[in-house]
Amino acid sequence: MTRILELLKKAGEASPNFRARLTYDHGPLPPIRAYLHNAGIDEAFDCPKRKTVEAKVEEHLIKTLIMNRGIINGADYLLAAIWGDKGAKMIDLFRYSGLGGWPGNPDFAGFVFRNGVYMPEKRELTCGDTLIVLGQEERYRRTTKDLKEYVEHSPSIDGLVSDTGQVICL
């Protein structure tokens, strides 16, 4: 079982605006790495304390994935951006599948969830900050020897730095 929470902060004005990264590989779900965006997240998860927000985010993410198993069937791994929109809990989910051999060239599908409900009509899948992260995740993945190594070791993301060097193995 892998559960790692890394607190992050922006290195500069042009940096992506993420506050944490959660890596989760446990049970019947495919491995997932989720980035917690600062946009609206405190309001959506109704909690002023950062540590509690991250715990609520993890709980919401796992519950949403379990309730929407059909969408993640066949996934080799998942990436996500989690944020808030006028009090709503938002998940931009990206399913990678069809790897074949490692590192392969995976198929990619994107989904948006609002308060745990899949929004198939939502055409705006994500934001520019997330696109930066997705590209760097894929570049890093191709340098790893297998899925296990990729999941257990997060990439360095340009513009994001560890917030006080804190990595918490949950």
Side-chain angles (χ1 to χ4, degrees):
M1 176 172 128
T2 301
R3 287 174 66 215
I4 303 168
L5 174 66
E6 301 166 85
L7 303 181
L8 305 169
K9 64 181 177 183
K10 291 175 63 164
E13 258 326 288
S15 300
N17 192 18
F18 292 97
R19 69 193 285 163
R21 169 171 52 198
L22 171 68
T23 301
Y24 185 88
D25 185 11
H26 179 64
L29 296 173
I32 182 164
R33 187 162 7 254
Y35 287 81
L36 285 62
H37 201 281
N38 277 306
I41 201 162
D42 287 319
E43 179 186 6
F45 287 89
D46 191 33
C47 195
K49 294 185 181 173
R50 185 165 162 148
K51 190 171 183 181
T52 306
V53 165
E54 286 132 6
K56 285 184 172 186
V57 166
E58 179 181 0
E59 180 181 298
H60 176 71
L61 174 64
I62 302 309
K63 181 179 176 183
T64 298
L65 294 175
I66 289 171
M67 289 176 19
N68 293 279
R69 271 191 200 272
I71 288 174
I72 62 173
N73 281 345
D76 292 307
Y77 63 96
L78 305 164
L79 294 176
I82 302 173
W83 55 288
D85 179 34
K86 299 176 188 144
K89 299 173 178 82
M90 303 299 296
I91 300 173
D92 301 342
L93 182 71
F94 308 98
R95 181 185 70 206
Y96 293 80
S97 59
L99 276 172
W102 193 264
N105 184 27
D107 294 327
F108 172 92
F111 309 90
V112 176
F113 296 88
R114 185 178 188 88
N115 292 323
V117 177
Y118 172 47
M119 309 293 291
E121 72 284 355
K122 184 101 164 90
R123 303 306 299 161
E124 295 84 17
L125 291 179
T126 200
C127 67
D129 285 349
T130 303
L131 291 177
I132 291 168
V133 167
L134 293 177
Q136 291 184 39
E137 280 276 351
E138 178 61 10
R139 183 177 306 274
Y140 169 73
R141 185 193 66 78
R142 292 176 183 215
T143 69
T144 61
K145 69 178 180 179
D146 56 25
L147 182 60
K148 182 177 176 4
E149 180 182 326
Y150 170 64
V151 170
E152 290 178 355
H153 304 281
S154 299
S156 205
I157 303 292
D158 292 340
L160 291 177
V161 294
S162 177
D163 190 358
T164 65
Q166 200 164 8
V167 175
I168 305 163
C169 294
L170 305 167

